[in-house]
Amino acid sequence: MMTEFVNQFCASARAAGIDRLNIYMEQRQSRDLSVYQGALEHLERSDLNQLFVEGLVDGQAGCVFIENFDEALIPDYIQAIRDTAAVCAAEFVPYCLEGLKHTDAANGDFSNLDTTVDAMCRACNTAREADSRIDPGISAHLAETCKRITLGNEKQQFVTDVVSGGRCGISLVARDGELVQPGRGGKPFRLGDIPDLDELANKAVEGAVSRLGSVSHGTGTYPVVLDARVMAELLDAFMPAFFARNVQSRMSVLAGKLGQQ
């Protein structure tokens, strides 16, 4: 549907005197599900198609964001490009597509729903049976996404990349009298290759139970061993500094420091 719409849009744009176009297409499929106390609690499936088009109008760049692919609306979208070009007066920078790697297939498909729900329910039971101090309110969650991004131009040159994957996890609480500690285990995975959820459940139980009775320490310098998850969370706080968008817009502390240590 999107391809046919884009072809018609390009033809209409040329007829309207817009000779240069940048085209960004995104098609995303996602599925989220959660299990609570051994039963399916939430299931959501979504499909998103969106299109962003830039056009060169009288030496300036105009743009339009499209989610409704009714070809009858194409004249309105072309007029929106003209209007934004007149207001924004931005430079048109054409996409350089030559040499970019083209990928047109996803890495696997979404997991079988019934099999996945059964595995999540078993993992909740595994956690509950692993230790008597685990509260019955155990939840398991899983999310899968496949996103196809296509860049193109008015010459009908297109390049596509596909990003897909998922993440699953277990959340629970250990309780011993008035002592309470949360536990969780999570792991990313390739589509069609769900990890061992029972193993995640056991890790979540181990983490929660091991912290029962833990106390705070005074300020000082101590030798420590950081859990891998904790180290990942610390690194996550610094990740935005490396995003190209933040560097290019000088919102990163690394802006202008290329080549420096």
Side-chain angles (χ1 to χ4, degrees):
M1 178 182 69
M2 287 186 67
T3 301
E4 296 176 358
F5 179 87
V6 168
N7 290 337
Q8 182 60 44
F9 190 97
C10 290
S12 299
R14 285 193 298 269
I18 302 177
D19 297 325
R20 303 296 302 275
L21 293 174
N22 284 335
I23 300 164
Y24 173 96
M25 291 187 286
E26 181 175 324
Q27 299 165 285
R28 179 185 303 181
Q29 295 177 313
S30 61
R31 186 174 70 177
D32 293 85
L33 58 152
S34 60
V35 165
Y36 181 70
Q37 292 187 336
L40 181 63
E41 179 187 43
H42 171 79
L43 172 62
E44 180 180 350
R45 173 69 185 261
S46 63
D47 294 275
L48 172 67
N49 295 314
Q50 53 188 1
L51 177 67
F52 178 78
V53 182
E54 273 188 316
L56 180 64
V57 181
D58 298 330
Q60 304 294 338
C63 62
V64 63
F65 183 81
I66 300 171
E67 289 184 303
N68 185 341
F69 303 101
D70 183 351
E71 293 185 2
L73 297 175
I74 288 180
D76 294 336
Y77 296 145
I78 291 177
Q79 185 59 44
I81 292 178
R82 292 187 175 280
D83 293 341
T84 55
V87 173
C88 298
E91 179 184 2
F92 181 85
V93 181
Y95 287 158
C96 182
L97 305 180
E98 290 77 9
L100 292 182
K101 182 179 179 181
H102 180 84
T103 304
D104 200 18
N107 295 321
D109 299 317
F110 286 175
S111 58
N112 179 271
L113 179 60
D114 292 337
T115 302
T116 301
V117 171
D118 288 343
M120 295 170 70
C121 291
R122 287 197 307 271
C124 291
N125 292 332
T126 296
R128 184 166 51 251
E129 296 171 357
D131 195 292
S132 61
R133 292 168 290 184
I134 300 300
D135 276 1
I138 304 168
S139 63
H141 51 275
L142 184 142
E144 297 169 298
T145 301
C146 180
K147 180 168 65 174
R148 174 178 279 101
I149 296 175
T150 300
L151 301 180
N153 56 31
E154 74 285 343
K155 299 178 181 178
Q156 305 298 301
Q157 296 174 329
F158 296 97
V159 61
T160 299
D161 191 21
V162 178
V163 180
S164 63
R167 184 170 182 83
C168 57
I170 305 287
S171 300
L172 49 81
V173 170
R175 189 183 305 273
D176 188 2
E178 296 183 354
L179 301 177
V180 178
Q181 286 290 348
R184 57 190 175 99
K187 195 172 186 178
F189 61 89
R190 295 169 64 93
L191 288 188
D193 189 18
I194 296 179
D196 187 342
L197 297 181
D198 288 339
E199 180 182 355
L200 291 181
N202 286 324
K203 287 184 177 180
V205 171
E206 179 183 356
V209 171
S210 66
R211 288 190 295 272
L212 287 172
S214 59
V215 296
S216 299
H217 290 273
T219 301
T221 301
Y222 303 95
V224 298
V225 177
L226 294 178
D227 181 88
R229 178 177 54 82
V230 175
M231 193 66 223
E233 290 177 352
L234 290 174
L235 292 175
D236 186 60
F238 294 95
M239 281 183 60
F242 296 91
F243 294 164
R245 178 190 303 171
N246 293 340
V247 174
Q248 293 169 356
S249 62
R250 306 195 70 80
M251 296 294 291
S252 166
V253 296
L254 300 179
K257 296 183 180 180
L258 185 63
Q260 299 183 32
Q261 183 172 346

